[in-house]
């Protein structure tokens, strides 16, 4: 979410720079002083100087800048972060009425935040539940915080545990799991730990993923455990030999969607472990077993590439 805010702040500065060359609402030229103030306000906001940002945006008239949605967004964010919930809601409601605003997807999130801040937890939780169900929600809002607030609005072990499993790297995940246990939830199961490891690996938190997998009891969901451990070791560029052993040991036990991928990455791990003869043999097995997949195409190329690099031009 912080990265999103940085991007928006940078975009706001760009708008401020270009705004002097454009026309504001009603067709009249943008006010250069207002354009500069908007740019300075974004700069202050990005630096964490909310008071300066608040003073600057409060002095900018709605019809004095070309991109009113940037002004309303910043006005709302500053108000939200300084506890002026009513002002924030007013700004975001006005922003939501602008046709074609680039902030259209974010507005419902901010209105849910306003509901939470004014104490209407039930309304906020209902709004958050709808928002996190939409594909790509992570690109717009803080899903982890939304799940925490849903759980806080109507506490249940399942709601807190859902956050702990789906977003293990979130700052609230540890508290959520503690809350789940307080409410009677059992310790994390093997399945839940593997799900947490998937999320950590996807977020490139590979060391944490390995630790999570180490907590899976022996012989419980062994196939999924070995697949994700092998995948994580491969992605973190360590212990390629172990990654190959794990992936090539379980690929036949996986669902059809993962078999070719696991076999291919097992072969590639062998290559990265400097076992090129073994890697080439396994690449050929990928081609023979799954000839109509993209993994087979890549395996065929890489087997030739390894031969070429070894000077085996005929084989290449």
């Amino acid at each position: 979410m912080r990265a999103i805010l940085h991007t928006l702040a940078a975009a706001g500065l760009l708008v401020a720079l270009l705004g002097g060359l454009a026309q504001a609402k009603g067709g009249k030229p943008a006010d250069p002083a207002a354009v500069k103030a908007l740019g300075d306000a974004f700069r202050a906001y990005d630096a964490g100087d909310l008071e300066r940002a608040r003073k600057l945006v409060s002095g900018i008239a709605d019809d004095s800048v070309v991109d009113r949605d940037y002004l309303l967004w910043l006005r709302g964010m500053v108000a939200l972060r300084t506890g002026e919930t009513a002002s924030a809601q007013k700004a975001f409601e006005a922003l939501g009425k602008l046709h074609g605003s680039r902030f259209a997807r974010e507005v419902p999130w901010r209105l849910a935040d306003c509901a939470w801040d004014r104490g209407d937890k039930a309304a906020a939780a209902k709004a958050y539940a709808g928002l996190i169900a939409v594909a790509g929600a992570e690109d717009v809002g803080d899903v982890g915080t939304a799940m925490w607030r849903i759980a806080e609005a109507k506490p249940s072990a399942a709601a807190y545990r859902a956050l702990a499993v789906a977003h293990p790297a979130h700052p609230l995940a540890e508290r959520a799991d503690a809350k789940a246990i307080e409410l009677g939830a059992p310790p994390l199961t093997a399945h839940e730990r593997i799900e947490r490891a998937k999320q950590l690996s996807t977020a490139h938190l590979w060391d944490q993923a390995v630790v999570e997998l180490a907590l899976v009891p022996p012989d419980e969901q062994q196939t999924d455990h070995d697949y994700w451990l092998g995948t994580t070791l491969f992605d973190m560029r360590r212990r390629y030999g172990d990654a190959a052993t794990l992936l090539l040991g379980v690929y036949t036990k996986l669902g059809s969607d993962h078999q070719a991928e696991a076999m291919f990455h097992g072969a590639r791990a062998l290559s990265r472990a400097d076992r090129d003869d073994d890697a080439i043999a396994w690449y050929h097995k990928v081609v023979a077993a799954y000839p109509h997949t993209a993994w087979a195409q890549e395996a065929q190329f890489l087997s030739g590439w390894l031969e070429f690099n070894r000077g085996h031009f005929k084989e290449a």
Side-chain angles (χ1 to χ4, degrees), residues 227 231 234 247-248 250-269 282-300 302:
Y227 169 75
T231 297
F234 179 88
L247 292 171
L248 296 176
V250 299
Y251 79 92
T252 58
K253 304 173 187 176
L254 299 171
S256 58
D257 291 343
H258 289 288
Q259 289 181 3
E261 176 267 324
M263 193 179 186
F264 170 82
H265 281 112
R268 195 164 190 189
W282 276 99
Y283 281 143
H284 290 168
K285 291 180 182 180
V286 174
V287 175
Y290 307 100
H292 302 297
T293 66
W295 302 112
Q297 295 174 23
E298 191 165 357
Q300 184 68 53
L302 288 175

Side-chain angles (χ1 to χ4, degrees), residues 196-231:
R196 282 165 58 88
K198 290 181 188 179
Q199 298 301 326
L200 291 166
S201 186
T202 299
H204 295 182
L205 299 171
W206 296 302
D207 289 322
Q208 294 180 40
V210 171
V211 170
E212 197 70 44
L213 290 166
L215 296 173
V216 175
D219 301 323
E220 289 192 26
Q221 293 198 246
Q222 195 66 46
T223 296
D224 286 343
H225 169 276
D226 290 355
Y227 169 75
W228 281 104
L229 180 57
T231 297

Side-chain angles (χ1 to χ4, degrees), residues 15-98:
V15 169
L17 291 170
L18 297 177
L21 303 175
Q23 291 183 325
K25 185 180 178 182
K28 68 179 183 179
D31 179 356
V35 170
K36 182 179 184 303
L38 180 58
D40 290 344
F42 264 97
R43 194 175 290 110
Y45 178 80
D46 198 41
D49 190 346
L50 297 178
E51 182 56 28
R52 174 169 167 73
R54 186 189 65 79
K55 289 179 179 178
L56 286 165
V57 294
S58 65
I60 302 174
D62 285 0
D63 62 353
S64 62
V65 293
V66 61
D67 281 295
R68 185 172 172 236
D69 55 348
Y70 275 98
L71 173 59
L72 289 172
W73 179 86
L74 186 58
R75 187 178 289 163
M77 290 302 298
V78 170
L80 189 64
R81 289 170 178 263
T82 54
E84 299 176 6
T85 308
S87 296
Q89 181 160 342
K90 181 180 178 181
F92 289 125
E93 286 176 345
L95 178 58
K97 294 176 182 177
L98 292 182

